[in-house]
Amino acid sequence: MSGGAGGGKRDRYVQPSVLMALLEGSSYGYELIQKLSDFGFMRGDAPPGMVYRHLRQMEEEGMVSSQWDAEGTGPARRNYTITDQGRETLEAWIVFMERQAEAMLAFVERYRNFSAKD
Amino acid sequence: MSGGAGGGKRDRYVQPSVLMALLEGSSYGYELIQKLSDFGFMRGDAPPGMVYRHLRQMEEEGMVSSQWDAEGTGPARRNYTITDQGRETLEAWIVFMERQAEAMLAFVERYRNFSAKD
DNA sequence: AACACATATATCCTTTAAGCACATACGTCA
DNA sequence: TGACGTATGTGCTTAAAGGATATATGTGTT
């Protein structure tokens, strides 16, 4: 896709998606990678490095907190929980997304209207 | 902005906005800067450097073509026209935006539904 | 025991994009 | 002449994403 629209690279909304997934229940990186694809913002799985990077940064900023979970089988997991500040950030994302979605739909309509009168 | 949603930095959709503005009629950088704010993707004017950078890059990629216009008063303008390839790219952006808007609205609804059942 | 495999986390390096300040130049009007 | 509005650009720095790779644990297989 030469100069391809959206490109599927930006606008993947990893941060709000992680916050939403954690709002619905605490989780950990590896599991989140799979859950993120359900939000429809990316094709295929999110690159692991990106998810872990976001999680660590979000913890630094106080949106999530984590603790090691060595229960069960396999390697230990770092289990993440959303914080009150994370909930506030998610709320702000919701407001932003509503505004953004509205702008996009208006944009699309403007295009259709223009194309129609050719 | 500490973890601020959207941040207002990314997702400004300069490229599709420029293409749309040019679809409706040829224009030039300085004028486009003002028109871009109408699309609702940014607060205030787009930074000039960004717009000119996009225009030159889009010309390299064949989405727009330009010619100097020294008519009228003031400094000469580089007047841009959308090309067929630009129209194709815009069409791809439209498809992308519809999908993206849908995903965002679903995201918002998912949030509201979850919050409602607390 | 050796090996492959799924799970799980993390770091490194490079490229890409944005932010922001600044430089240049023309014409008008006080 | 000097400030201001118009108009186009460049340069430097930071922020984010991409993608490859490293590490480690437990399970199942031969």
Side-chain angles (χ1 to χ4, degrees), chain B residues 6 14 34 38 53 117:
Chain B
V14 174
Q34 280 126 37
D38 297 339
R53 209 191 294 128
K117 66 161 181 281

Side-chain angles (χ1 to χ4, degrees), chain B residues 28-30 52 56 75 77-78:
Chain B
Y28 55 96
Y30 193 83
Y52 291 114
R56 259 176 299 118
R77 302 160 174 176
R78 188 185 281 274

Side-chain angles (χ1 to χ4, degrees), chain B residues 7-10 21 35 37 59-60 65 80 82-83 90 92 94:
Chain B
K9 303 197 168 184
R10 223 131 283 84
K35 287 187 178 175
S37 54
E59 183 161 27
E60 265 177 39
S65 65
Y80 285 90
I82 191 170
T83 65
L90 179 55
I94 294 294

Side-chain angles (χ1 to χ4, degrees), chain A residues 15-29 31-32 35-36 39 55 58 63-65 78-83 87 90, chain B residues 114:
Chain A
Q15 185 180 107
S17 298
V18 166
L19 288 172
M20 178 79 101
L22 292 182
L23 181 71
E24 294 171 355
S26 70
S27 184
Y28 54 97
E31 191 182 50
L32 285 168
K35 287 188 178 177
L36 289 196
F39 289 100
L55 284 169
M58 288 163 72
M63 299 175 198
V64 301
S65 65
R78 188 184 281 276
N79 207 57
Y80 285 90
T81 309
I82 192 170
T83 64
R87 272 179 272 267
L90 179 55
Chain B
F114 185 87

